[in-house]
Amino acid sequence: MNLIPTVLEIVAPVGLLGLVGFLWARGGFDYRMEFITRLCMTLSVPALVFTALMKTEIDPTALTTLSIAAAAAYGALTILFWGLTRLLRLDLRTYLAPLIFGNTGNVGLPLALFAFGQEGLGYAIVVFAVMILWSFTFGLWIVAGGGSPSRLVKEPIMGATLLGALFLWQGWQTPRWLTNSLDLIGQIAIPLMLITLGVAVARLNAGHLGRAFALSLLRAVLCLAAALGAGLALNLPPVALAVLILQVTTPVAVTSYMMAEKYGADSDAVAGLVIASTLLSVITLPLTLAFLI
């Protein structure tokens, strides 16, 4: 295998679509961020998650083990970053959630799909669902000073995950006409999320960039250690371990900035983390993929 072209084939589509969004925003063209985000999170991503789980041929036991490994990795990161923010005397409401939660949707899902095919996408969706669960409970509680479990129940992504898991467990399939329709809806999710990521980065007002780069570098190391440790401890199969590492090491999620903006945390500092970690990922993600494949 020629490693460099292989990694380029995986990373280039993600980077190019993100660049399209970045240049679109910098060019002054209109982009209805709220509408696109709502469309993705309430329609296309749930359809993608449901159909991917329903059609996956991965052993349900392996998916369960991966769920436990993902929960363990995020639990370890929560403890590590809680201690780090306390040690450095950083504001918990501003820094803790962005350090824990990576961009497992916009970046992780397409990378897993391009690197490992439908099997990788199935595994990536499981990690994505675990991250969403922790983000909309503990993450929201940290940023907002209190989060309601009812909000999580209302998220379409969680309903799609549970329904997809049920269909997988029972071996059920939707009628072909419905499956094809859901496939088409789900296929718009990945390109839209990548373009939206580029638009969001172009619109961010970064703050504390020196600190942000230092924290992002430390975050990359700790995320790699947590994912690798959890995966090896639970003896994950190679592809599941690779996807877990890939998902947990994705750059800081743009949604962390949106939550900081909404609930009055230091959104400029979070924007700095998003930009710094995204720029670092141009180096770290290809290196990670080169190691994993």
Side-chain angles (χ1 to χ4, degrees), residues 104-207:
T104 56
N106 299 60
V107 177
L109 294 184
L111 281 178
L113 175 63
F114 296 143
F116 304 105
Q118 288 298 321
E119 180 185 9
L121 180 62
Y123 283 130
I125 283 172
V126 172
V127 182
F128 177 52
V130 172
M131 191 278 294
I132 288 288
L133 174 64
W134 196 225
S135 175
F136 278 97
T137 51
F138 177 79
L140 184 61
W141 176 74
I142 285 293
V143 177
S148 171
S150 63
R151 178 180 179 126
L152 183 66
V153 175
K154 296 175 184 177
E155 290 296 323
I157 183 70
M158 292 311 300
T161 301
L162 294 174
L163 192 60
L166 176 62
F167 271 62
L168 171 64
W169 176 47
Q170 294 293 331
W172 296 340
Q173 296 285 322
T174 54
R176 180 63 62 86
W177 62 267
L178 179 57
T179 302
N180 291 341
S181 301
L182 291 173
D183 274 336
L184 282 176
I185 296 171
Q187 285 171 17
I188 70 174
I190 287 176
L192 273 182
M193 286 193 298
L194 288 172
I195 293 171
T196 301
L197 173 62
V199 172
V201 170
R203 292 177 176 177
L204 293 177
N205 296 314

Side-chain angles (χ1 to χ4, degrees), residues 10-11 14 66 74 102-105 107-116 120-121 124 127 219 223-224 227-228 238-251 281 284-293:
I10 297 167
V11 175
V14 176
L66 177 61
Y74 282 115
N103 215 330
T104 56
V107 177
L109 294 184
L111 281 178
L113 175 63
F114 296 143
F116 304 105
L121 180 62
V127 182
R219 176 184 181 273
C223 286
L224 176 61
L228 184 61
V239 174
L241 176 60
V243 170
L244 176 64
I245 292 171
L246 188 63
Q247 282 284 63
V248 174
T249 57
T250 51
S281 71
T284 59
L285 284 177
L287 289 175
T288 302
L289 282 166
F291 170 75
L292 294 175
I293 61 177

Side-chain angles (χ1 to χ4, degrees), residues 44-86:
S44 61
V45 173
L48 174 68
V49 168
F50 172 74
T51 54
L53 287 175
M54 178 182 67
K55 295 191 299 181
T56 188
E57 297 179 357
I58 302 170
D59 182 4
T61 303
L63 293 180
T64 301
T65 305
L66 177 61
S67 300
I68 297 171
Y74 282 115
L77 289 176
T78 300
I79 296 170
L80 288 170
F81 288 132
W82 184 290
L84 181 66
T85 51
R86 288 296 191 188

